[in-house]
Amino acid sequence: MNRITTLCAAALLATSATGAMAQSQGDWTLGLGLGTVSPKEDNGTVAGAKLEIDKNTQVTLTFEYFIADNLGIEVLAATPFTHDLDLGGADIGEVKHLPPTVSINYHFQTKTAFTPFAGIGVNYTTALDVDSPLGDLELDDSWGAALHLGVDYAISDRGALRADLRWMDIDMDAELNGTDIGTAEVDPMVFGISYIMKF
């Protein structure tokens, strides 16, 4: 039994020592997963009332190109997110949007199967469609900073499972029937899980 235990321990150590999915200059990765956009609790005051925006989950796609060892430029894309809008306790419609984000990420090599990373970037959010019974409700596009933290768990030298967290600065000016009624302060946390493939 001791011999079997020793062999299992040696196998685990070997896996942890060689299981990391190393990133070298010129590599690129493709990630497919799910992302949940969860706006902060206080979404600002619009038309004199408290605005609330609910969360939504969609399919995400990431591309990352490594400009240097462990340093990559990443683009985040997704299928359109749809959020219900609540103003002063009443449903005022929904917004469909896309929040593409470009980040530069640094991946910390640990010589194990786990590779944590951190990044900073820019988010651009555009409202594709706003549907409201109140009339012509419009939300302007937003530019803002984005922060990124996560960890990859290598399951092969070219594949990994990823869990990550993003914060995005999203503020969208709102107009109703051509009149400025305030700013939707979204500022969400984005929770993601995905499978990452290296090429």
Side-chain angles (χ1 to χ4, degrees):
M1 181 65 69
N2 287 337
R3 184 177 180 184
I4 294 174
T5 303
T6 301
L7 288 173
C8 289
L12 287 173
L13 287 173
T15 300
S16 66
T18 61
M21 188 176 70
Q23 294 93 5
S24 301
Q25 182 177 7
D27 288 344
W28 63 281
T29 64
L30 171 67
L32 180 63
L34 294 173
T36 298
V37 172
S38 181
K40 69 175 186 176
E41 291 186 5
D42 182 7
N43 300 128
T45 300
V46 172
K50 181 180 178 181
L51 177 66
E52 295 182 4
I53 305 172
D54 77 342
K55 62 184 178 181
N56 187 242
T57 301
Q58 292 293 332
V59 174
T60 59
L61 190 66
T62 58
F63 301 90
E64 187 168 12
Y65 177 76
F66 285 82
I67 58 176
D69 292 352
N70 306 317
L71 186 66
I73 295 178
E74 178 203 61
V75 177
L76 167 69
T79 52
F81 291 88
T82 301
H83 300 273
D84 291 332
L85 305 175
D86 186 286
L87 190 62
D91 179 16
I92 64 165
E94 65 177 28
V95 57
K96 182 179 293 186
H97 73 92
L98 283 175
T101 303
V102 177
S103 301
I104 183 164
N105 298 322
Y106 186 81
H107 300 254
F108 301 90
Q109 293 304 315
T110 64
K111 297 183 179 179
T112 73
F114 292 95
T115 305
F117 60 87
I120 187 169
V122 176
N123 165 262
Y124 170 71
T125 296
T126 181
L128 301 177
D129 183 48
V130 184
D131 183 23
S132 174
L134 301 180
D136 183 17
L137 179 62
E138 296 184 2
L139 294 174
D140 289 347
D141 295 350
S142 168
W143 288 90
L147 303 177
H148 193 197
L149 290 173
V151 63
D152 292 339
Y153 176 74
I155 57 177
S156 72
D157 61 348
R158 292 194 174 274
L161 299 177
R162 171 173 293 181
D164 64 347
L165 176 65
R166 301 174 192 263
W167 172 81
M168 298 177 181
D169 178 21
I170 302 176
D171 297 314
M172 307 179 81
D173 292 334
E175 291 185 359
L176 180 62
N177 298 323
T179 301
D180 182 11
I181 58 173
T183 300
E185 301 171 6
V186 188
D187 299 341
M189 302 297 291
V190 183
F191 306 90
I193 54 172
S194 55
Y195 177 68
I196 306 295
M197 297 165 282
K198 186 178 79 169
F199 297 90

